[in-house]
Amino acid sequence: MYQVGSGGSSEYDISKAEMKTMNFEFINQNGTAYGTEQLQGQYWLANLIFTHCPSVCPTMTPNMQRLQAAMKEEGIEMSFISFTVDPERDTPEALYSYGNNVGADLTSWQFLSGYTIEQITEFAAESFKTPVQHIDDSDDIVHSTSFFLVDPNGNVIRKYDGLQSNQKPIIDDLLKTVK
């Protein structure tokens, strides 16, 4: 179901796939509307998570936090967006607590909810060409373990392994791409 990253590939560029994010306006961890309008004109790194995840999110979220810290240290201004795939349980309050617990800088990292499972399933399929699927009789939800880099025009241009323990190649590619 999930694949642990080996870091063997440097093929991050997916711009030829011509993927574009759908326009959206959801609710962030502060209970505020947040979406395409706020992200226009900037790079942003997105992933799919949920706060009760028993498998991959406990690895992905700290990895995203380290990428956020590295970009901040390099003086790179960009946003980080985590879309929950469990919008019924992941209220803004739950996402705020989760973000604080993982050390996210909530000034540039938004944890989004405020939609139905059907809406996030469609959004993930249309924007990132990836499935979201609840598993019967399980606490897990199948979702992508990738981080998606979106350019200032809403094009998905890079795809990184969110489970990769060695993040230096991702950081190097982000610096080269976003600068």
Side-chain angles (χ1 to χ4, degrees):
M1 176 165 55
Y2 298 114
Q3 181 180 16
V4 175
S6 64
S9 173
S10 62
E11 293 297 313
Y12 301 125
D13 188 347
I14 60 169
S15 57
K16 286 186 173 72
E18 297 183 358
M19 296 163 52
K20 190 167 183 73
T21 57
M22 294 174 59
N23 287 336
F24 66 92
E25 183 177 89
F26 299 138
I27 303 297
N28 72 6
Q29 70 278 355
N30 299 318
T32 305
Y34 192 92
T36 308
E37 188 176 319
Q38 289 77 17
L39 293 165
Q40 197 163 15
Q42 64 179 296
Y43 284 94
W44 49 286
L45 194 65
N47 72 347
L48 302 165
I49 57 100
F50 64 110
T51 62
H52 292 86
C53 181
S55 56
V56 295
C57 301
T59 300
M60 290 172 52
T61 302
N63 283 348
M64 182 82 104
Q65 189 277 330
R66 285 190 290 281
L67 292 175
Q68 182 189 38
M71 293 301 102
K72 190 173 183 178
E73 188 176 296
E74 292 287 339
I76 302 295
E77 287 191 32
M78 61 182 289
S79 292
F80 295 80
I81 308 294
S82 290
F83 298 93
T84 182
V85 296
D86 190 7
E88 290 179 11
R89 285 204 291 190
D90 286 345
T91 63
E93 298 80 14
L95 292 169
Y96 182 86
S97 177
Y98 182 78
N100 270 330
N101 288 342
V102 299
D105 177 349
L106 298 177
T107 59
S108 64
W109 189 347
Q110 307 298 313
F111 290 84
L112 300 183
S113 191
Y115 40 76
T116 66
I117 187 63
E118 292 80 16
Q119 288 171 311
I120 191 59
T121 300
E122 178 188 0
F123 181 81
E126 289 292 321
S127 298
F128 304 121
K129 309 296 184 228
T130 187
V132 171
Q133 183 178 357
H134 284 257
I135 302 170
D136 291 338
D137 301 321
S138 172
D139 287 335
D140 211 350
I141 300 169
V142 174
H143 61 87
S144 175
T145 58
S146 295
F147 295 161
F148 299 94
L149 181 64
V150 182
D151 75 9
N153 298 313
N155 300 304
V156 183
I157 60 169
R158 294 280 195 275
K159 181 177 171 182
Y160 306 107
D161 182 349
L163 298 174
Q164 183 170 319
S165 57
N166 176 11
Q167 292 188 303
K168 183 166 179 8
I170 296 173
I171 292 167
D172 292 345
D173 190 72
L174 280 171
L175 290 171
K176 181 178 66 177
T177 305
V178 175
K179 272 196 170 175

